[in-house]
Amino acid sequence: MAHTDHRTMRRALRREIAGTIGVLTDDHDFRAMRRYRSFAFDDHTTYLRQLEAVLQDRAAQGDHTTLALFDPEDYAAYCADTGLDPEAPTSRTRFTAELAATGPTIPYDGRPLAVLLPVLVDEAVRQATWEYATTLLTRLGPCPTCGEDIGRAAFTRASDLLVRILDTAPPGERHLVCTVAGPPDTLVSVLHGDQDAHGATRLDEAEALEFTSVLALGLATRSPGGLVIRVSATGTADRVYGWRLRGGALEPLTASEVFDAYCTDVESGDLISPEPGVDYREPPALGEESTAPGHRH
């Protein structure tokens, strides 16, 4: 009986795969989908296990599958807007096709879903952060003094600063974190980079775009925040340094300020033991910005 149930569940999943499958990554979203009688699953763990089996079968047959984040609230709104029956599996297939075209996706590459789903969630958060930051930059409009688009000018400044931060960083893998305080929300963006054999820094294009947009928003709105970089290289201590965002500019943090930031629990404010093998230092000089001071809106 259990074998028959598993076959039935896998057939139900296959009906909703058209190269892309929308995944319910957490139990909350899974419970929301159980309102639909046509949704054939009662347990989130079983759902993920059967989904993984289907993905493995498709991969063994040479079929490529893309994973997308399935949001039940967005699905309900999509069905209401399009007049589709949310109970119909074909409606979920059409919604998933829309996700493949517009939403965050990752390819199924054979790794366990326990590994891939956090990557998918991170991708969704990154895209949402980029869209939010871009929307706020667009709303800033033109400078009342010179008429220049404030958001575009800030993005250009942020791009230039990021290039100079990477150019002046020591050799090794780079891990950058930019934080911009709200209101209404605090945005956090992470950027990873490593160097190839010729010393060039390799970045994920989507990560770099989101990171630059968040930094640009902090510059344009003169919001408080910070940017910290950690460089790791074989045979040397990790080097950590950074800047605070203040008044639409980056100000270097002292070595002790970086140390204090890394040795303070973000949630409680309590002191924590310093991490061994880490060198906290002042940042290198970035040089003068090419943008004229009068254009720092």
Side-chain angles (χ1 to χ4, degrees):
M1 181 66 176
H3 180 66
T4 301
D5 289 343
H6 289 172
R7 291 177 61 182
T8 300
M9 286 188 284
R10 292 180 192 181
R11 281 199 299 269
L13 282 168
R14 286 190 177 94
R15 283 199 301 268
E16 298 183 26
I17 298 177
T20 301
I21 184 166
V23 185
L24 299 162
T25 59
D26 60 49
D27 194 58
H28 177 269
D29 287 346
F30 180 85
R31 289 197 304 270
M33 285 302 294
R34 291 196 61 205
R35 78 181 90 169
Y36 303 115
R37 294 186 304 275
S38 61
F39 187 69
F41 301 92
D42 298 318
D43 175 76
H44 189 228
T45 301
T46 302
Y47 159 81
L48 291 178
R49 186 165 56 246
Q50 296 304 317
L51 173 59
E52 189 148 35
V54 170
L55 291 169
Q56 290 170 349
D57 288 346
R58 285 177 57 83
Q61 295 167 14
D63 294 329
H64 173 78
T65 310
T66 299
L67 305 179
L69 196 68
F70 195 103
D71 186 308
E73 291 185 7
D74 290 346
Y75 173 65
Y78 172 80
C79 290
D81 291 342
T82 57
L84 294 174
D85 178 9
E87 282 284 358
T90 53
S91 298
R92 292 195 284 273
T93 302
R94 286 185 57 177
F95 176 66
T96 300
E98 291 282 340
L99 293 179
T102 61
T105 61
I106 61 171
Y108 175 71
D109 58 10
R111 286 181 292 171
L113 285 182
V115 175
L116 288 175
L117 293 188
V119 176
L120 178 58
V121 172
D122 287 346
E123 183 65 25
V125 171
R126 180 162 55 246
Q127 179 167 321
T129 301
W130 170 73
E131 290 176 349
Y132 181 67
T134 300
T135 298
L136 294 182
L137 285 170
T138 302
R139 289 177 180 172
L140 294 175
C143 171
T145 303
C146 67
E148 185 177 18
D149 186 280
I150 296 174
R152 187 176 296 114
F155 189 88
T156 300
R157 279 189 65 206
S159 300
D160 180 60
L161 284 168
L162 177 58
V163 168
R164 286 188 285 129
I165 288 170
L166 294 172
D167 283 348
T168 56
E173 295 183 0
R174 289 85 180 271
H175 179 86
L176 297 86
V177 179
C178 181
T179 304
V180 174
D185 299 304
T186 295
L187 298 182
V188 179
S189 181
V190 177
L191 179 62
H192 306 273
D194 54 20
Q195 290 182 305
D196 60 24
H198 304 288
T201 302
R202 294 176 297 200
L203 301 173
D204 179 87
E205 185 176 344
E207 275 192 7
L209 185 60
E210 180 222 357
F211 190 91
T212 307
S213 299
V214 171
L215 176 57
L217 184 65
L219 296 172
T221 59
R222 299 176 176 266
S223 299
L227 192 159
V228 176
I229 179 172
R230 179 170 183 153
V231 182
S232 303
T234 304
T236 63
D238 284 8
R239 283 157 286 188
V240 179
Y241 53 86
W243 299 261
R244 67 169 53 86
L245 266 170
R246 176 183 290 174
L250 290 179
E251 296 182 355
L253 294 171
T254 66
S256 60
E257 287 174 327
V258 177
F259 178 88
D260 289 343
Y262 264 75
C263 297
T264 303
D265 184 272
V266 177
E267 299 295 333
S268 65
D270 295 335
L271 294 177
I272 56 178
S273 299
E275 187 178 351
V278 177
D279 178 16
Y280 304 95
R281 57 172 61 185
E282 293 185 14
L286 298 179
E288 293 296 323
E289 290 192 58
S290 58
T291 306
H295 290 169
R296 295 186 186 180
H297 303 284

